[in-house]
Amino acid sequence: MASLISVNVGLPRDIEWQGRTIHTAIWKKPVIGRVMVRRLNIDGDGQGDLAGHGGEHRAVMVYQLESYQYWRQELKRDDFEYGQFGENLTVDGLADREVCIGDRYRIGTALLEVTQPRVTCYRVGIRMNNPQMPALLVSHRRPGFYLRVIEEGEIGAGDGILKVLDGPEHLSVAETDALLYLPDHPGDELRRALLIPSLSTGWQESFKTLAAAQQVAQTAAKSGAPQAIAAAPAWRGFRPLRIANVHQESLGVLSFIFESEDQATLPAALPGQFLVFRLWPSGAASSPILRSYSISGPHNQGTYRVSVKRDSGTGSQYFHDALKAGDLVEVAAPRGNFILLSGSNPVVFLSTGIGATPLLSMLYSVASRPQDNTRDIWWCYGARNGKEHPFLDEVQRLLLSLAHSHSFVTYSKPGAEDHAGKDYDVSGRLSLAELQKRDLPMIADYYLCGPAAFLTGMTADLKAWGVSVGQIHAETFGAETPITPGIERSSGRAPHAPDGKPGTGANVSFTRSGISAPWDSRFNNLLEFAEACDVPVRWSCRVGVCHTCESGLIDGEVHYSPEPLSPAASGNILICSATPVGQVDLDL
């Protein structure tokens, strides 16, 4: 029988790391005597970052004596103490290759259930004084695992560990960890994992994302797009495209049709993807700017249409004031994973303002596919008034071609010439409450695009209503919300070149943030460089394991050190372990 060797606890504290303050409870110490295990943690224990650790499904962390012995030999260290790996329970037995998600164990008077492998967090590297530790735990198939407390109770060192229930699907901790973090993601194993009710919500969502990525490839094949389009951009870097036509859509919105220089058919995009433009507002002698705009027309007509709203931005003003039919513009290939997925559920498009552009491309795709003519299609849109309502006739024509379409339009400030019930449905902003009055289906695939406040509010409302996270797909304009576990993003500064003397390397451009700066070799990787620029970034492991930092590489090449355990998708990079080889343009 397996046994409990040590119970380890620790409360959060602040430590200094790379010039920043981290709030962490990775330091654990053994408890003398018996202690209560409660629903969210063990008495005397706590978690410093509840977004990544703790909570009902991550109440208790387990690591094995066998792995201690393994790492002593592998790392040639003899300074370990119980709690060294951040675990609450050091156990003899319960190997990761044998314990399965959903298994239940009785320890003392507590009943506990296995919910997920360890989170690949950089803080275990800090505790071990080895930054590579998150990658080593995964690659050596020794992650450890979390427990949920089914029945609270008292435990202590020396207690036996009795298995009382086998988890469904018999998917081991090691197999589950590898399924997420190592290169192969077999569809049958993904489906098995998603059948385990005890698997934590975060891991379920990660597996749903992987399954959706596989569906992207299948969708590409069914849509007639080259298979490579689903995995990688159709061409590397930038190529010149000619503006074939410019058209006024509404007050402040222009559409630009792009064609190849020789008028050959351009590769098909996927409905919902965007283009990145390299623009030279101040002439070729100056530095360029990079701007992204969604494709707003049919995805497979051999040309690309983007629609640009005039605002105070340099890119927007350059499109409106300087570009005309016949001009050549440098354009990167269509990219982005915000695409229309195949399926049988109703489809609900939710957008405001210029956020309609990628959804309009999706609507074209729906209208062109006979198999989608049996699906309920909802077009829900908010504009200021009729003068600022682009694509009105175009959308109505597409909706009329669909057998089961619904339209709902709101004007926040209708003009005198706008008539309720004819030009728009409701005065005010687009809201879920108004849509619910019209029997909007809860079981549907929701596609959202618009300003950040709209996306945040509508997403929260949909979740509160009961819509599954996996049914909500959103496109963000500008930088994404940062993920910096355990560290508050306190600067508040707009993105900028790193402080101090400029670097001497080639330019690194951050497309979404609208800045570029010369690479400086004092930074270990592009993640550190982006942080020095106050560019919003997302990360967790910082050693090429978790893919939280995965970002689009629009142009250029990178070198990896360390090499990621699982490669980024074609056209993407992991910025936490990459350095630039020459100039690079990043979708950040």
Side-chain angles (χ1 to χ4, degrees):
M1 177 188 291
S3 61
L4 180 58
I5 301 299
S6 178
V7 181
N8 317 297
V9 300
L11 294 174
R13 56 172 160 160
D14 290 339
I15 65 167
E16 293 301 315
W17 176 77
Q18 295 188 358
R20 288 171 286 187
T21 300
I22 300 174
H23 194 58
T24 179
I26 189 68
W27 272 265
K28 309 287 186 187
K29 294 291 184 181
V31 174
I32 304 300
R34 303 188 70 75
V35 64
M36 279 296 295
V37 178
R38 305 193 188 278
R39 189 176 67 86
L40 296 181
N41 47 38
I42 298 173
D43 281 358
D45 193 52
Q47 295 87 21
D49 171 27
L50 291 176
H53 304 272
E56 181 180 352
H57 285 85
R58 295 175 297 207
V60 179
M61 172 70 197
V62 176
Y63 209 56
Q64 305 90 351
L65 199 60
E66 177 195 359
S67 288
Y68 267 79
Q69 296 163 350
Y70 176 86
W71 291 119
R72 283 193 185 99
Q73 190 170 36
E74 183 74 20
L75 301 176
K76 296 178 172 57
R77 290 176 57 172
D78 59 3
D79 59 341
F80 294 159
E81 58 184 1
Y82 294 140
Q84 183 80 35
F85 293 84
E87 81 277 9
N88 298 114
L89 307 184
T90 311
V91 301
D92 187 5
L94 303 188
D96 292 331
R97 64 186 178 276
E98 298 172 353
V99 170
C100 295
I101 307 299
D103 284 355
R104 290 189 178 185
Y105 295 92
R106 176 74 67 181
I107 307 177
T109 58
L111 180 64
L112 305 122
E113 179 180 67
V114 180
T115 57
Q116 67 170 72
R118 172 198 298 271
V119 175
T120 53
C121 175
Y122 71 109
R123 280 163 288 207
V124 71
I126 297 174
R127 176 67 179 89
M128 292 290 293
N129 196 28
N130 183 343
Q132 299 304 314
M133 208 64 217
L136 293 173
L137 291 170
V138 174
S139 62
H140 289 246
R141 311 294 285 270
R142 295 178 177 274
F145 55 89
Y146 280 103
L147 298 170
R148 180 166 71 105
V149 179
I150 304 298
E151 295 177 7
E152 296 182 349
E154 191 178 71
I155 63 174
D159 284 349
I161 301 175
L162 177 65
K163 186 177 184 180
V164 298
L165 183 69
D166 285 332
E169 301 301 322
H170 303 286
L171 197 65
S172 75
V173 168
E175 289 173 323
T176 305
D177 198 58
L179 182 60
L180 182 61
Y181 292 127
L182 295 182
D184 294 329
H185 311 290
D188 59 335
E189 289 193 18
L190 288 175
R191 287 187 287 273
R192 283 176 59 202
L194 291 171
L195 292 173
I196 305 174
S198 53
L199 183 65
S200 68
T201 302
W203 280 67
Q204 287 187 18
E205 293 306 323
S206 295
F207 287 140
K208 287 177 182 177
T209 298
L210 288 173
Q214 293 179 355
Q215 193 179 4
V216 167
Q218 296 167 4
T219 298
K222 291 178 182 178
S223 69
Q227 184 66 24
I229 293 285
W235 65 84
R236 292 193 62 183
F238 293 85
R239 62 179 283 192
L241 298 183
R242 178 180 287 109
I243 299 177
N245 191 22
V246 181
H247 176 68
Q248 184 91 37
E249 299 289 357
S250 66
L251 182 65
V253 176
L254 293 178
S255 281
F256 299 79
I257 308 294
F258 288 88
E259 63 182 8
S260 64
E261 284 189 273
D262 59 1
Q263 296 186 328
T265 299
L266 289 171
L270 293 173
Q273 290 190 309
F274 63 89
L275 301 173
V276 180
F277 296 84
R278 179 187 282 161
L279 308 173
W280 303 82
S282 300
S286 65
S287 297
I289 63 171
L290 276 67
R291 295 293 185 269
S292 301
Y293 296 101
S294 297
I295 295 172
S296 61
H299 67 284
N300 57 358
Q301 286 197 339
T303 60
Y304 304 139
R305 182 180 76 175
V306 300
S307 303
V308 182
K309 180 181 179 180
R310 175 185 286 279
D311 57 30
S312 59
T314 304
S316 167
Q317 293 186 11
Y318 184 68
F319 262 92
H320 275 256
D321 298 335
L323 295 180
K324 60 186 183 302
D327 287 347
L328 291 175
V329 182
E330 293 179 83
V331 186
R335 64 173 55 241
N337 292 323
F338 179 66
I339 71 164
L340 179 68
L341 300 176
S342 58
S344 57
N345 282 343
V347 175
V348 179
F349 297 120
L350 294 162
S351 64
T352 62
I354 201 62
T357 51
L359 305 190
L360 180 54
S361 177
M362 294 181 185
L363 185 61
Y364 267 107
S365 178
V366 169
S368 69
R369 301 193 309 205
Q371 65 268 34
D372 284 333
N373 211 25
T374 59
R375 302 173 74 176
D376 275 346
I377 307 297
W378 289 70
W379 181 266
C380 309
Y381 178 71
R384 183 183 295 270
N385 52 51
K387 290 182 179 179
E388 299 182 45
H389 185 168
F391 318 118
L392 173 58
D393 294 338
E394 199 171 343
V395 168
Q396 288 181 339
R397 184 178 70 253
L398 290 169
L399 292 176
L400 285 173
S401 72
L402 294 165
H404 306 283
S405 66
H406 311 262
S407 174
F408 181 72
V409 175
T410 65
Y411 285 174
S412 59
K413 293 184 178 179
E417 67 279 12
D418 297 326
H419 302 288
K422 177 183 177 183
D423 301 308
Y424 65 98
D425 297 293
V426 171
S427 176
R429 298 188 182 278
L430 185 62
S431 71
L432 180 61
E434 286 291 344
L435 289 167
Q436 288 172 320
K437 296 176 183 178
R438 289 156 177 80
D439 297 324
L440 183 77
M442 177 187 292
I443 305 301
D445 291 316
Y446 289 84
Y447 294 87
L448 286 65
C449 191
F454 167 76
L455 292 179
T456 300
M458 185 61 77
T459 299
D461 289 346
L462 288 169
K463 290 179 180 178
W465 186 28
V467 176
S468 165
V469 174
Q471 296 171 238
I472 303 172
H473 317 277
E475 178 73 304
T476 302
F477 289 153
E480 294 185 302
T481 304
I483 297 176
T484 56
I487 300 175
E488 292 293 330
R489 190 169 180 263
S490 57
S491 166
R493 298 170 65 184
H496 57 85
D499 294 331
K501 186 178 179 180
T504 58
N507 259 15
V508 176
S509 295
F510 299 101
T511 307
R512 290 176 183 257
S513 300
I515 69 156
S516 64
W519 169 251
D520 192 327
S521 58
R522 64 190 164 105
F523 299 103
N524 292 314
N525 48 60
L526 284 164
L527 171 57
E528 291 184 8
F529 187 71
E531 290 173 323
C533 294
D534 277 311
V535 168
V537 288
R538 298 179 163 207
W539 52 266
S540 180
C541 73
R542 300 184 75 96
V543 288
V545 179
C546 70
H547 286 234
T548 304
C549 74
E550 184 166 342
S551 306
L553 178 63
I554 298 165
D555 197 11
E557 296 182 4
V558 299
H559 169 74
Y560 281 115
S561 181
E563 195 71 26
L565 293 185
S566 176
S570 297
N572 290 352
I573 63 168
L574 303 182
I575 62 172
C576 72
S577 58
T579 54
V581 178
Q583 178 172 326
V584 295
D585 300 313
L586 304 176
D587 185 25
L588 277 171

